[in-house]
Amino acid sequence: MYEPIDQTFFQAPVLELSRNLIGQYIVHEQPPGSSVPYLVARIVETEAYQGPIDRAAHSFSNQPTKRTEVMFKEAGLVYTYQMHTHILMNVVSGAVGVPHGVLIRAAEPIEGFEQMQMNRGEKIQMKDWTNGPGKLTKALGITMKYYGHHWSEKPLFISEGPEVKEIETGPRVGIGNTGEAVDYPWRFFEKGSKYVSKYR
DNA sequence: AGAGGGATGGTCT
DNA sequence: GACCATCCCTCTA
């Protein structure tokens, strides 16, 4: 019933892709024998990162490193990386050689509630399962093993969700000391969603 | 080879 | 609002 979105979806310019990702489903199929067949969340918040023209981007130097090399490959690949004790996930964007990316910051739980509760721990309330980039990957069970995987292939893929009414923009979160980049309005989120990571 | 530090989150005050 | 857990990448030498 959930089917991967077409690869061409990822070919849009990074700001457009960041906006288009709002409202789409992230589907993580679970191994046979799991309590649920898949975990699903609906994206409500993204941020665009634009490589060499963006001081806040990991790929600002425009030189591939062990961490960022996947960003220089084709759009639609998964860029995961570790931040302190958490894994964050991105959609690679831009032509080959142009290291853009879209950070998926927050989503709304859709299916697999019991498993998400287990993944996040008993004490965490539903509204806090997926309202941040590190929380989201933990709830969905996404790890570094998906580095370089394609977002249009099972078992982890984007699937088309319902139309979103209104999308707001603003400055990105958590990128202090990046000069002019701190004010770029490259954050996108669904207006009024209670699963957005934070309002500012 | 080692220091520095980060696109975060949970807990405590 | 402050503290810090804890990994591993990146830069410099």
Side-chain angles (χ1 to χ4, degrees):
Chain A
M1 81 173 258
Y2 293 103
E3 288 303 323
I5 204 160
D6 193 87
Q7 278 204 24
T8 57
F9 172 80
F10 300 103
Q11 290 167 7
V14 65
L15 295 178
E16 196 176 316
L17 178 61
S18 300
R19 179 178 291 272
N20 292 346
L21 278 164
I22 303 293
Q24 312 299 349
Y25 293 128
I26 303 167
V27 182
H28 189 198
E29 291 186 342
Q30 301 298 102
S34 303
S35 55
V36 289
Y38 31 65
L39 303 179
V40 183
R42 187 178 147 276
I43 299 170
V44 299
E45 181 181 352
T46 61
E47 282 177 358
Y49 288 87
Q50 306 208 46
I53 66 163
D54 179 4
R55 291 195 94 75
H58 291 158
S59 51
F60 177 62
S61 71
N62 210 24
Q63 288 301 117
T65 64
K66 181 173 163 54
R67 180 171 66 155
T68 62
E69 60 182 351
V70 73
M71 297 185 78
F72 292 79
K73 299 184 181 177
E74 73 258 32
L77 296 178
V78 177
Y79 167 39
T80 46
Y81 73 96
Q82 181 152 2
M83 176 58 178
H84 294 275
T85 54
H86 305 281
I87 301 301
L88 276 61
M89 61 179 171
N90 293 249
V91 179
V92 171
S93 175
V96 173
V98 179
H100 293 177
V102 182
L103 172 67
I104 302 177
R105 280 196 60 87
E108 172 183 351
I110 300 292
E111 292 202 43
F113 292 171
E114 283 190 25
Q115 187 64 50
M116 289 191 202
Q117 178 85 74
M118 283 187 58
N119 289 350
R120 293 286 287 118
E122 283 304 314
K123 287 180 281 198
I124 308 296
Q125 301 192 31
M126 180 177 174
K127 69 175 179 59
D128 295 319
W129 287 351
T130 54
N131 61 341
K135 301 175 189 180
L136 178 57
T137 54
K138 191 168 183 194
L140 294 176
I142 292 164
T143 64
M144 287 301 294
K145 80 179 182 190
Y146 286 109
Y147 185 92
H149 171 80
H150 201 288
W151 277 112
S152 67
E153 289 175 6
K154 298 176 180 182
L156 175 64
F157 57 93
I158 301 294
S159 186
E160 193 164 347
E163 190 88 4
V164 173
K165 291 196 185 85
E166 199 166 351
I167 295 171
E168 295 196 71
T169 63
R172 294 170 294 178
V173 176
I175 54 162
N177 290 329
T178 52
E180 70 284 355
V182 297
D183 297 320
Y184 296 159
W186 293 347
R187 176 176 182 235
F188 300 83
F189 55 99
E190 182 183 30
K191 182 175 183 176
S193 172
K194 68 180 191 184
Y195 294 99
V196 163
S197 65
K198 56 183 75 167
Y199 288 95
R200 31 185 300 188

